[in-house]
Amino acid sequence: MAGIRTKPPSRAKILVNKAVVRVNVFVYRKSGGRLLGQFGGLQALLLTTLGAKTGRSRTTPVTFIRDGDRIVICAVYGGEAVNPGWYWNLRATPRAFVQIGRDRFPATAEILPDGPERDRIWAHLLTIFPLYTKFQSKTDRLIPIVVLTPSA
């Protein structure tokens, strides 16, 4: 299929993305999410995970929806051929800290397997943010959906 990305992003693209993420995290934290707290029709949160390779704390902005008491995030990565780093971090250690606005809390992550629940949530995401269809068309990987459940 034309337009399918089969290679990971270039080193330059990764470095630019890291710089943008650092600025986004700084502004989000300082403003309590009032600035850079939305992307399109989706709210954004800050997700802090432990690096799978380094064990260091990593924070990145991620868009989300709510599914009852749960928070749903997608490892869409703009339709790149690879999953974002935070996805691999949650696979290695399925615990994270989430910041929504000024609220910060621990959460447990579950990566949804391909099946009815994932299909239901994916369909709902597409009604809210149709651009995800374009991202999915750019890659041959199934875009992972992760459910975050607040924990004590």
Side-chain angles (χ1 to χ4, degrees), residues 14 17-18 24 31 48 80 111 115 117 135-136 139 144 151-152:
I14 290 170
N17 187 50
K18 283 184 179 185
N24 193 314
S31 71
T48 302
E80 292 293 346
I111 298 165
E117 182 179 23
F135 293 152
Q136 181 64 78
T139 184
S151 55

Side-chain angles (χ1 to χ4, degrees), residues 86-107:
W86 64 258
Y87 168 81
W88 298 110
N89 295 346
L90 288 175
R91 277 191 56 147
T93 306
R95 292 180 307 280
F97 277 93
V98 174
Q99 181 177 340
I100 298 174
R102 296 208 181 274
D103 295 330
R104 192 168 190 267
F105 53 89

Side-chain angles (χ1 to χ4, degrees), residues 16-36:
V16 168
N17 187 50
K18 283 184 179 185
V20 169
V21 165
R22 283 188 188 118
V23 170
N24 193 314
V25 168
F26 176 81
V27 171
Y28 188 107
R29 281 185 175 148
K30 288 294 182 187
S31 71
R34 284 189 323 261
L35 300 174
L36 302 178

